[in-house]
């Protein structure tokens, strides 16, 4: 019985798991990425418990070499160094949304929520997910094509969006990309912008949010989106941007199904139910609105889907 090590290494959290070759989960643990200085230590801890020589790491970064740096964290992953310093003999690096693509087929009904009643079609599948950053990928002919669409152009639909764009451009001293409005930090950017616009807000909630660290604020803003008018507006705008980015991805990839992934989606599910589909199918050309209406849209509820995909890849697909 051969065991494998997989990891989902993101800008905020890093999750490790051990599977056997029958796809049974044997071990799982989570770390905060910012506290990991070297992957060797958590890997050695696991390898002391299990006999493992092969691993697949899903990384929130573009993959083009054996050494990568996370897009939204300082952690560097060097495959050659890890092979020399650990018992691992084979290490595969995948982009995190590439790995997620290989996990889609393994999801069960209780691990997803369907936002509409359209039937799944066997064709291209688009995947988009906001978390610490914004990820995208496309499944075509059972292969997963990665994307850096999170760094594409900022979405502008109306005058408020233009003001938001200019606000961020002045703040960051450069043109903001899509990730600046559609991610965990994007939620905070929207929140700060609406405060700048002097949007009405509950004073007690405002004070509470102001007292926590920036990385904790998006969660609080989401939590209070049903109690505070400003937080509610933040999430409404966030879902609008989510829907428009997803629409662009579906039309660009000619996808017939859409999956919404990432750590934020399950926490704003009620807002996705209310606002997402209305914005997603809105298009200036009626024939494209009709096309978008037929696309089944799923929200991935299981935070471990990327781990399943990494395991599926190393067990069932040809390694690179």
């Amino acid at each position: 019985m051969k065991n494998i090590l997989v990891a989902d290494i993101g800008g905020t959290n890093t999750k490790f798991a051990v599977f056997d070759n029958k796809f049974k989960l044997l071990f799982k643990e989570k770390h905060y990425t910012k506290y990991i200085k070297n992957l060797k230590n958590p890997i050695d801890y696991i390898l002391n418990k299990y006999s493992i020589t092969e691993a697949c790491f899903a990384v929130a970064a573009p993959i083009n070499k054996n050494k990568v740096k996370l897009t939204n964290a300082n952690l560097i992953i060097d495959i050659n160094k890890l092979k020399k310093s650990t018992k691992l003999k084979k290490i595969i690096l995948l982009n995190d949304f590439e790995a997620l693509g290989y996990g889609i087929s393994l999801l069960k009904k209780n691990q997803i929520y369907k936002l509409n009643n359209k039937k799944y079609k066997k064709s291209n599948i688009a995947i988009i997910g906001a978390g610490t950053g914004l990820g995208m990928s496309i499944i075509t002919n059972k292969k997963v094509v990665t994307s850096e669409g999170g760094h594409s152009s900022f979405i502008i639909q109306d005058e408020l969006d233009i003001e938001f764009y200019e606000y961020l451009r002045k703040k960051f001293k450069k043109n903001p990309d899509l990730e600046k409005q559609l991610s965990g930090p994007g939620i905070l950017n929207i929140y700060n912008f609406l405060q700048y616009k002097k949007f009405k807000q509950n004073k007690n909630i405002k004070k509470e949010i102001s007292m926590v660290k920036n990385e904790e604020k998006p969660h609080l803003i989401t939590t209070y989106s049903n109690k505070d008018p400003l937080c509610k507006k933040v999430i409404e705008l966030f879902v609008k941007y989510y829907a428009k980015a997803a629409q662009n991805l579906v039309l660009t990839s000619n996808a017939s199904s859409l999956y919404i992934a990432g750590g934020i989606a399950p926490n704003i599910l009620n807002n996705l139910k209310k606002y997402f589909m209305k914005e997603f199918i809105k298009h200036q050309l009626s024939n494209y609105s009709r096309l978008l209406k037929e696309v089944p849209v799923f929200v991935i509820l299981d935070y471990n889907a990327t781990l399943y995909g990494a395991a599926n890849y190393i067990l069932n697909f040809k390694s690179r």
Side-chain angles (χ1 to χ4, degrees):
M1 186 71 73
K2 182 180 75 171
N3 298 328
I4 58 167
L5 172 65
V6 299
D8 177 7
I9 306 171
T12 300
N13 297 310
T14 292
K15 291 173 283 187
F16 292 96
V18 176
F19 290 87
D20 66 19
N21 60 356
K22 300 296 183 182
F23 212 75
K24 181 180 178 180
L25 179 63
L26 305 176
F27 171 88
K28 185 178 69 174
E29 70 176 8
K30 184 175 80 170
H31 300 258
Y32 288 111
T33 303
K34 65 181 179 181
Y35 296 130
I36 300 176
K37 304 303 180 186
N38 189 326
L39 280 179
K40 172 178 163 51
N41 294 332
I43 289 173
D44 280 343
Y45 173 78
I46 297 169
L47 298 188
N48 286 334
K49 293 176 174 288
Y50 299 91
S51 176
I52 299 173
T53 60
E54 297 186 11
C56 182
F57 298 152
V59 183
I63 307 296
N64 51 27
K65 295 180 181 179
N66 289 332
K67 181 179 180 180
V68 299
K69 180 187 179 299
L70 295 190
T71 302
N72 292 301
N74 291 323
L75 185 63
I76 294 174
I77 301 155
D78 189 323
I79 285 182
N80 294 328
K81 282 187 177 180
L82 287 174
K83 285 180 181 179
K84 290 177 181 178
S85 62
T86 70
K87 296 177 184 178
L88 294 174
K89 304 300 180 187
K90 179 181 180 181
I91 304 173
I92 298 170
L93 284 184
L94 298 178
N95 173 266
D96 55 344
F97 270 72
E98 183 179 6
L100 179 60
Y102 288 104
I104 291 291
S105 63
L106 305 174
L107 294 173
K108 299 176 182 177
K109 287 185 177 180
N110 66 336
Q111 294 170 302
I112 57 176
Y113 181 88
K114 202 171 183 182
L115 289 180
N116 57 6
N117 61 358
K118 302 303 177 181
K119 291 184 179 181
Y120 170 80
K121 304 182 185 78
K122 289 186 178 180
S123 184
N124 294 352
I125 298 172
I127 308 170
I128 186 170
T132 306
L134 177 63
M136 300 182 192
S137 61
I138 303 159
I139 305 174
T140 178
N141 295 323
K142 296 184 179 181
K143 293 182 179 180
V144 185
V145 180
T146 59
S147 166
E148 289 300 317
H151 300 286
S152 57
S153 298
F154 195 90
I155 290 174
I156 296 177
Q157 296 285 314
D158 53 34
E159 292 296 325
L160 186 65
D161 296 341
I162 293 173
E163 289 185 54
F164 183 31
Y165 177 88
E166 289 299 328
Y167 168 85
L168 292 178
R169 189 173 65 83
K170 290 177 182 178
K171 179 179 179 180
F172 293 104
K173 304 291 191 292
K174 59 183 178 181
N175 294 333
D177 60 11
L178 179 57
E179 197 170 77
K180 286 290 190 294
Q181 64 186 154
L182 194 50
S183 61
I187 289 177
L188 183 56
N189 286 335
I190 299 170
Y191 177 83
N192 289 336
F193 168 66
L194 292 180
Q195 281 194 327
Y196 165 78
K197 292 281 293 178
K198 301 189 184 304
F199 203 91
K200 183 180 177 181
Q201 184 174 23
N202 179 287
K203 290 182 179 179
N204 292 331
I205 290 175
K206 179 180 179 180
K207 182 178 179 180
E208 183 179 349
I209 293 173
S210 71
M211 295 177 68
V212 301
K213 296 177 180 178
N214 280 347
E215 58 262 34
E216 298 171 359
K217 288 179 181 179
H219 177 71
L220 268 185
I221 293 165
T222 302
T223 300
Y224 285 126
S225 62
N226 61 343
K227 294 182 180 180
D228 174 61
L230 189 145
C231 292
K232 179 182 179 183
K233 184 64 176 179
V234 169
I235 301 305
E236 285 180 9
L237 285 173
F238 183 80
V239 172
K240 182 188 83 167
Y241 299 141
Y242 221 153
K244 290 306 178 186
Q247 181 192 95
N248 288 341
L249 179 62
V250 166
L251 292 175
T252 301
S253 61
N254 195 28
S256 61
S257 299
L258 171 69
Y259 282 81
I260 304 171
I264 296 174
N267 294 325
I268 61 168
L269 185 59
N270 288 333
N271 290 283
L272 290 171
K273 292 177 188 177
K274 288 179 184 178
Y275 310 119
F276 186 91
M277 290 306 305
K278 181 181 178 181
E279 290 294 334
F280 177 71
I281 66 175
K282 189 187 295 183
H283 197 282
Q284 60 184 345
L285 300 176
S286 59
N287 55 328
Y288 285 101
S289 288
R290 288 193 294 271
L291 184 152
L292 290 162
K293 283 180 183 178
E294 296 303 313
V295 175
V297 180
F298 306 89
V299 180
I300 298 175
L301 303 177
D302 194 321
Y303 294 104
N304 298 311
T306 302
L307 292 174
Y308 308 145
N312 189 28
Y313 186 87
I314 197 170
L315 289 173
N316 297 314
F317 290 83
K318 183 179 179 181
S319 63
R320 55 177 72 189

